[in-house]
């Protein structure tokens, strides 16, 4: 067994020889083992692409083994993926709701009251409040955005809370 130290899979001629020698066998192996539904031709091509990406790491003697192992693993991953898809598709979609029409009307009414109460806040209070509660920003971040101190931001948020509590008696505010 002679070993040429300068020959590796990255040389186009060597890679071409490996491709010509093993492409059909790899495709046939995948086709016979997994059938046509999982695209054995695509997986064979992907295995050769993976070989090209890792050509420095794989010797020509181990190229066949590498190709078959990579392609087989790709097919196994595809089988797992198809099982997940099948499982997801077999789960019934919930097309109903437990919310009665009265609740939906109240929800709309509360939303209108909330929007009205927000509109009664000053611009500074509304901005600070929404940045904190709607966007989840911290007081320090809001202070930097608005160019004010952290204490000013805290005051604006808490004063907005007070006004909203007064306007919205039935709401549970956090």
């Amino acid at each position: 067994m002679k070993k040429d130290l300068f020959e590796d899979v990255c040389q186009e001629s060597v890679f071409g020889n490996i491709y010509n020698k093993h492409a059909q066998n790899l495709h046939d192996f995948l086709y016979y083992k997994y059938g046509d539904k999982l695209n054995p031709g695509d997986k064979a091509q992907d295995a050769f692409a993976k070989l090209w990406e890792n050509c420095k790491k794989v010797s020509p003697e181990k190229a066949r083994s590498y190709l078959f192992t990579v392609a087989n693993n790709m097919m196994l991953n595809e089988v797992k993926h198809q099982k997940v898809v099948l499982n997801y598709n077999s789960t019934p979609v919930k097309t109903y709701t437990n919310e009665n029409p009265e609740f939906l009307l109240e929800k709309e009414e509360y939303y209108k009251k909330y929007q009205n109460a927000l509109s009664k806040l000053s611009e500074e209070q509304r901005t600070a409040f929404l940045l904190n509660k709607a966007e989840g920003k911290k007081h320090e971040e809001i202070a930097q955005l608005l160019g004010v101190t952290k204490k000013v931001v805290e005051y604006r948020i808490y004063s907005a809370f007070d006004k909203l509590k007064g306007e919205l008696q039935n709401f549970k505010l956090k």
Side-chain angles (χ1 to χ4, degrees):
M1 181 162 100
K2 67 178 183 175
K3 187 173 184 182
D4 190 356
L5 296 176
F6 299 106
E7 189 176 277
D8 65 357
V9 179
C10 293
Q11 294 176 348
E12 287 187 36
S13 61
V14 175
F15 186 82
N17 288 338
I18 291 171
Y19 181 83
N20 291 334
K21 188 175 181 181
H22 300 297
Q24 189 62 44
N25 290 337
L26 181 59
H27 173 271
D28 293 346
F29 168 75
L30 296 175
Y31 179 78
Y32 295 142
K33 188 168 182 181
Y34 297 101
D36 195 35
K37 283 190 174 188
L38 301 177
N39 300 322
D42 289 349
K43 298 298 185 270
Q45 291 299 317
D46 291 343
F48 277 101
K50 194 83 151 169
L51 175 64
W52 184 254
E53 289 171 7
N54 296 311
C55 64
K56 294 278 187 201
K57 301 175 187 172
V58 180
S59 68
E61 297 83 29
K62 304 218 177 186
R64 181 181 187 280
S65 173
Y66 180 84
L67 286 169
F68 279 73
T69 302
V70 166
N72 191 48
N73 287 343
M74 286 179 179
M75 290 299 266
L76 290 172
N77 288 341
E78 185 67 23
V79 168
K80 285 181 186 176
H81 174 70
Q82 292 301 326
K83 284 182 182 177
V84 169
V85 168
L86 181 64
N87 211 6
Y88 178 76
N89 287 338
S90 66
T91 307
V93 178
K94 181 179 172 184
T95 57
Y96 60 90
T97 177
N98 291 335
E99 299 171 347
N100 60 19
E102 183 180 333
F103 174 79
L104 294 174
L105 286 173
E106 286 177 1
K107 182 177 165 184
E108 241 178 77
E109 185 181 320
Y110 282 137
Y111 182 72
K112 287 177 185 173
K113 286 181 182 178
Y114 176 69
Q115 290 297 329
N116 186 33
L118 278 178
S119 68
K120 290 181 182 179
L121 295 175
S122 71
E123 184 67 28
E124 294 87 11
Q125 288 174 328
R126 185 173 39 256
T127 304
F129 179 78
L130 290 175
L131 283 171
N132 181 251
K133 296 303 173 189
E135 295 185 21
K137 296 199 180 292
K138 304 227 181 294
H139 293 186
E140 189 66 37
E141 291 176 281
I142 298 169
Q144 289 175 357
L145 282 172
L146 300 178
V148 295
T149 66
K150 184 179 169 185
K151 287 290 184 188
V152 170
V153 170
E154 290 172 357
Y155 174 75
R156 289 178 182 175
I157 292 171
Y158 294 128
S159 63
F161 259 132
D162 285 341
K163 284 187 178 181
L164 288 174
K165 283 181 185 176
E167 290 283 326
L168 308 167
Q169 296 293 330
N170 297 331
F171 270 122
K172 181 181 178 184
L173 296 175
K174 291 184 181 179

